[in-house]
Amino acid sequence: MKIRKTVLAVLSVFAVASLATGGAHAAAQRASAKQAPVAKGAAPKKAVVAKAAKSEKAQRETKVVTNRAGRFVQVRKPSRLAAFKGRQQAMAAVVHRAVPAVSAEVDNDGNPLLQSAAFMIADQATGNVILEKNSDAVLPIASITKLMTAMVVLDARLGLNDLLTISQDDVDTLRGSSSHVPVGTELSREDMLRLALMSSENRASAALARNYPGGVPAFVAAMNRKAVSLGLRDTRFSDSTGLNSANVSSARDLVKMVSAASRYPLIREFSTTANYLVYLNGRPRQFNNTNALVSSPDWQIGVSKTGFINESGKCLVMQAWLLNKPMIIVLLDSFGRFTRVADAQRVKRWLESAAAQQKLASQGRGPAT
């Protein structure tokens, strides 16, 4: 592992430059995301806990709200609504337990002890690499692939309200993975994209590629062209889901890919949505984000995507605002359920600790004479 010599210089300007440029960037990004179209019937971005349970009579009088296609609702039958609110309450209660608290453990050189096999942390605004290990290793990236899938779909400017149907061709026959979206489900292209990004639904991602002009072969070709245009020299794609281990990249390339994805308001919104309620064949289904950190009040995340297949290990990429600056975090080939999340926590605490020490040191020097 090596830490760039620029880290102290970067940290020293956090307290001044980032308050202006970082704050303006954050405001612009949030404004842009608010302008992005959102399908009717979407659940709130953060789980909302009801102040008090409605009476049975009040619940019976609850109004049903549907979109134009009549498939998604915010409010349904009383018993189901109460059940969903109960699940949201439970989620809010355990979210902090799902995000392990980690101290900023460091090695003898003062670098954080990360457990991911390959990683890179970079300042998005300046391009400076703060920390890296095996950043040029070419590895399978699993569902991190879906960030490229989303960019290709949005670049094509296809109708987001077009209805797509999950077919047998979208079922995973390579690994036999399960899905909460049954064959025959009809969703808008926008909601297919949302479920692919936030809940990593493989069938939704497969349907997006299948419904691209020219079908799956044309879609994969567009993914690889986009990779070349972004200067991703170590990146290759063979499908739109990431189930194929031939989808490979490096931590260095993924920093560029996440940075590119952050320029799409819908990718920012959909990839960081905490939960979303959909009606599938008349039955309600709540989909949750695969990254617990998007629900943590300690994090301000602009882009998020997780990934896992046996060949890739656990992966996590994010654009996150740390010390009022946009940082790109890429963690590849982590072992264990919480390792990638714990590594992200270690990075955050390490940067905050270094900034605090830098501030104390500067205050201790006193005014120049």
Side-chain angles (χ1 to χ4, degrees):
M1 185 194 314
K2 59 180 180 178
I3 183 170
R4 296 286 184 176
K5 295 181 179 179
T6 55
V7 65
L8 291 179
V10 171
L11 291 171
S12 67
V13 301
F14 276 158
V16 179
S18 65
L19 290 176
T21 61
H25 190 130
Q29 185 185 57
R30 288 193 293 271
S32 177
K34 287 180 181 178
Q35 295 173 359
V38 180
K40 294 181 181 180
K45 187 172 182 180
K46 299 291 182 183
V48 178
V49 180
K51 293 182 179 179
K54 291 183 178 180
S55 68
E56 182 178 354
K57 179 178 178 181
Q59 290 180 10
R60 282 198 299 267
E61 295 173 352
T62 301
K63 192 174 181 180
V64 175
V65 181
T66 66
N67 73 344
R68 285 178 294 178
R71 289 174 176 80
F72 314 107
V73 305
Q74 292 174 320
V75 181
R76 193 67 160 92
K77 293 181 180 179
S79 59
R80 290 176 177 173
L81 177 62
F84 281 122
K85 287 187 175 181
R87 292 194 191 106
Q88 287 184 326
Q89 287 176 326
M91 182 184 300
V94 303
V95 68
H96 290 294
R97 285 180 287 177
V99 181
V102 181
S103 61
E105 303 98 332
V106 297
D107 60 19
N108 292 333
D109 296 322
N111 301 327
L113 293 169
L114 306 187
Q115 302 303 311
S116 301
F119 54 80
M120 178 177 278
I121 291 84
D123 183 331
Q124 185 180 7
T126 65
N128 290 333
V129 176
I130 307 303
L131 198 68
E132 64 179 329
K133 175 184 176 183
N134 297 330
S135 57
D136 294 320
V138 179
L139 303 168
I141 59 172
S143 287
I144 306 302
T145 294
K146 293 182 176 72
L147 287 179
M148 181 60 77
T149 296
M151 286 191 281
V152 170
V153 169
L154 294 173
D155 286 348
R157 299 184 182 277
L158 303 173
L160 293 178
N161 293 323
D162 294 347
L163 293 178
L164 311 182
T165 303
I166 299 295
S167 78
Q168 194 64 37
D169 292 334
D170 303 320
V171 174
D172 172 24
T173 58
L174 180 63
R175 299 178 184 275
S177 60
S178 62
S179 172
H180 297 305
V181 185
V183 171
T185 298
E186 195 175 57
L187 297 172
S188 69
R189 179 176 277 109
E190 178 175 317
D191 282 298
M192 291 284 193
L193 185 60
R194 186 193 302 268
L195 296 186
L197 286 172
M198 67 163 285
S199 196
S200 209
E201 273 294 336
N202 291 315
R203 291 182 185 179
S205 187
L208 289 169
R210 186 171 50 79
N211 286 276
Y212 185 84
V216 174
F219 191 87
V220 173
M223 294 174 75
N224 286 304
R225 285 196 303 272
K226 180 74 171 180
V228 171
S229 72
L230 294 175
L232 310 184
R233 295 180 297 179
D234 302 321
T235 304
R236 304 288 184 275
F237 296 103
S238 294
D239 74 358
S240 63
T241 65
L243 291 168
N244 193 324
S245 61
N247 287 14
V248 297
S249 188
S250 63
R252 188 177 300 278
D253 271 9
L254 290 178
V255 165
K256 297 177 183 178
M257 194 169 94
V258 173
S259 182
S262 73
R263 295 194 283 270
Y264 294 75
L266 283 182
I267 294 179
R268 295 199 303 271
E269 178 188 347
F270 293 171
S271 71
T272 58
T273 298
N275 52 72
Y276 186 64
L277 184 65
V278 176
Y279 269 74
L280 305 175
N281 301 323
R283 292 181 176 274
R285 179 79 200 188
Q286 179 168 292
F287 291 82
N288 299 317
N289 202 299
T290 55
N291 180 10
L293 290 177
V294 302
S295 298
S296 171
D298 297 329
W299 283 83
Q300 183 182 355
I301 299 173
V303 172
S304 168
K305 191 69 199 77
T306 62
F308 171 75
I309 55 176
N310 289 334
E311 294 89 337
S312 71
K314 301 281 187 176
C315 304
L316 173 64
V317 299
M318 296 191 296
Q319 181 221 46
W321 290 79
L322 302 176
L323 301 176
N324 297 314
K325 298 205 70 174
M327 307 291 287
I328 305 296
I329 299 174
V330 174
L331 303 166
L332 301 179
D333 195 8
S334 297
F335 178 80
R337 183 179 178 187
F338 294 118
T339 301
R340 58 188 172 184
V341 172
D343 274 356
Q345 295 277 51
R346 290 184 184 99
V347 168
K348 182 177 185 292
R349 292 171 185 266
W350 174 69
L351 286 172
E352 291 171 345
S353 176
Q357 292 176 13
Q358 182 76 13
K359 182 177 180 180
L360 288 174
S362 64
Q363 290 174 345
R365 287 194 294 267
T369 56

